[in-house]
Amino acid sequence: MASRPPSNPLNALPQREVTPEMRRRTARTFWLILLAFVTGIGMMVAVLAWQGRGARDYARSVREAVLAGNPSPNASYSVGCGQVKPGALPPGVTSCEVKVLAGAVSVHLMYEGGRAFKLSR
């Protein structure tokens, strides 16, 4: 008994012709998906920049409040930002700490997701 290779059902179908309209729709869909992707990335960058700016402004105001108290160059301590400047932390910030080392003030902010920001001068 001779074995025959199985017949391919796709060979029986007629070939489909790609029309210019189909090409235009495919190209338009591709560019719209690419535009949506780039727009999404841009929005994420803008949100993170806005969030970072608010947190930096908050850290700067906390630092200025500590400096207004004229810390001693002989003192070194660490305190929470809530004790220096009462109120809520900026959105996205999980913790804030002020460190005074020999009169130099630095503010450490921890964001959601493990990111950190340190303001010192």
Side-chain angles (χ1 to χ4, degrees), residues 67-80:
L67 287 174
N70 203 9
S72 170
N74 298 327
S76 293
Y77 58 92
S78 180
V79 67

Side-chain angles (χ1 to χ4, degrees), residues 85-104:
K85 185 177 179 186
L89 293 173
V93 175
T94 57
S95 68
C96 178
E97 183 180 23
V98 178
K99 292 184 180 180
V100 178
L101 297 172

